[in-house]
Amino acid sequence: MQRILIDTDPGVDDALAILYAMLSPELQIEAITTVCGNVPVTQATQNLLTILDVLDLDEFPAIAQGEAEPLVKPLITAAHVHGDDGLGNVSQLRNTDGSPLYPPANTSVLFTSAVDLILEMVTRYPDELALVALGPLTNVAKAIREDAAKMQRLQKIVVMGGVFEEYGNVTTTAEFNIFVDPHAAYEVFDFGVPIHIAPLDATHQVVLTGERLHAEIGKREDNISNFLKDATQACMEFYRQHVGFWGFHIHDALPIGMLTHPEHFESVDAYVQIETEGTLTNGMTIADLRRERRHPNPNARVCIKVAAEAFLDHFFKRLY
Ligand code: BDR
Ligand code: CA
């Protein structure tokens, strides 16, 4: 069983990744921390609790709220993709009696701070814990700044972020998670703990169409099915209008699959660098993936190929 800590900025695809991870017996989720990104961090925390409520848990994993601002840049969010509340505007849905369908959660369950919780977990499980980063890397960089020796005892960091041979999704050259906080990404990739990365080049290979999603949900009326229906509409509409298909990419679910079913993913070693200065290339991830040009001292394993159908089948098998 792999122990993990998830750092996340929910986000519709973060929500699917969290549900997938929570329902994967191969994983032991020791803690979940929130970070600013798709939405401001207070909303990210609220969303995390809404997502966990869908699962009707007897006991929550340890949870902490993290950084509200990137290290240097002002925060940019992605409400245009994920809805104003980050979860497809589920917070606006009402029961017939007018009460909220997804009531605001009680945040008193929160641990002190994300950095403290990350450091506590890596101290409790030295060399055993994978940190799964599904948002900007601000909390991770701050934890490294706070106590690098403790953070060296992470087994690995699994990142959704970056893009190498395709266009970016914020600018022509940058992917959202890295673009939001390139300075944090720079520090994390420079740190020396093994990094596995699912860039857009990999996540774009997995297309969850609206047809497939609705076929899987079918006539089901359980909590997970209702949440999937409610949370994904706005995002799928955005993709229909701006990306050209009805559906979406479930980016953040890939790092979870990489941990539970590595046989569906092909990766190469690479030396990944982050552009923090460029005006046109800010937040760009750079690595030469050509076999003959591989770096002698790689700092990451970059996922380049996904068995998309096998992965999606497995994803739905876990959800249902
Ligand atoms: C990443 O950006 C966010 O909007 C998603 O949640 C994902 O983590 C994809 O570029
Ligand atoms: Ca995310």
Side-chain angles (χ1 to χ4, degrees):
M1 178 119 64
Q2 171 74 58
R3 294 186 197 280
I4 68 170
L5 179 152
I6 299 178
D7 187 65
T8 175
D9 62 336
V12 177
D13 60 324
D14 300 73
L16 299 193
I18 291 164
L19 294 175
Y20 180 33
M22 293 291 296
L23 295 167
S24 288
E26 301 88 350
L27 302 177
Q28 174 68 36
I29 303 182
E30 300 295 349
I32 309 183
T33 51
T34 59
V35 66
C36 63
N38 286 321
V39 286
V41 72
T42 48
Q43 182 71 53
T45 306
Q46 189 58 242
N47 291 352
L48 171 61
L49 296 172
T50 299
I51 295 158
L52 292 175
D53 265 351
V54 170
L55 291 168
D56 258 338
L57 301 169
D58 292 332
E59 208 184 319
F60 276 21
I63 292 171
Q65 181 162 294
E67 298 300 308
E69 294 289 335
L71 294 184
V72 178
K73 288 169 75 171
L75 176 65
I76 62 147
T77 59
H80 58 295
V81 184
H82 297 268
D84 286 340
D85 65 7
L87 289 182
N89 296 324
V90 295
S91 56
Q92 290 166 23
L93 299 176
R94 294 283 176 268
N95 292 307
T96 39
D97 66 0
S99 61
L101 196 52
Y102 296 91
N106 175 3
T107 51
S108 63
V109 290
L110 294 185
F111 195 89
T112 43
S113 87
V115 167
D116 288 351
L117 184 54
I118 290 170
L119 291 172
E120 177 175 327
M121 287 298 153
V122 75
T123 308
R124 193 179 300 175
Y125 304 112
D127 309 318
E128 277 185 57
L129 188 71
L131 194 161
V132 182
L134 307 180
L137 290 161
T138 321
N139 289 342
V140 187
K142 283 258 172 130
I144 291 170
R145 285 180 177 190
E146 179 86 15
D147 197 330
K150 278 188 184 162
M151 289 295 275
Q152 281 292 343
R153 304 302 296 272
L154 278 172
Q155 186 193 73
K156 59 187 159 194
I157 304 174
V158 190
V159 175
M160 190 284 125
V163 60
F164 296 96
E165 295 177 339
E166 294 196 9
Y167 292 121
N169 58 359
V170 190
T171 66
T172 308
T173 54
E175 179 279 333
F176 181 79
N177 288 340
I178 307 295
F179 182 80
V180 171
D181 198 340
H183 301 88
Y186 180 95
E187 293 183 23
V188 172
F189 277 83
D190 199 37
F191 183 53
V193 160
I195 295 179
H196 294 212
I197 171 169
L200 291 183
D201 312 66
T203 65
H204 282 169
Q205 293 172 35
V206 181
V207 176
L208 176 52
T209 62
E211 287 84 0
R212 170 86 193 254
L213 181 66
H214 286 168
E216 293 286 348
I217 294 171
K219 294 196 185 332
R220 294 174 213 255
E221 288 285 346
D222 54 278
N223 280 0
I224 292 182
S225 302
N226 290 339
F227 177 75
L228 288 181
K229 271 183 270 181
D230 293 340
T232 56
Q233 294 314 314
C235 185
M236 296 208 292
E237 199 43 50
F238 173 86
Y239 268 70
R240 193 202 316 254
Q241 285 177 24
H242 300 279
V243 186
F245 67 92
W246 184 54
F248 58 112
H249 295 296
I250 52 172
H251 308 281
D252 289 338
L254 265 77
I256 305 302
M258 283 160 70
L259 286 168
T260 61
H261 282 72
E263 68 275 15
H264 297 328
F265 302 85
E266 186 183 324
S267 300
V268 295
D269 289 333
Y271 186 69
V272 175
Q273 291 175 285
I274 313 292
E275 176 59 84
T276 56
E277 299 298 330
T279 49
L280 298 176
T281 54
N282 194 265
M284 186 175 181
T285 42
I286 298 133
D288 198 329
L289 303 182
R290 289 173 294 182
R291 188 172 297 279
E292 69 281 10
R293 301 286 287 270
R294 299 268 162 81
H295 197 279
N297 298 309
N299 62 356
R301 277 189 74 66
V302 179
C303 179
I304 52 166
K305 202 151 183 257
V306 188
E309 281 314 305
F311 166 68
L312 267 181
D313 288 349
H314 181 257
F315 170 79
F316 280 112
K317 206 159 118 198
R318 284 289 176 258
L319 252 47
Y320 289 122

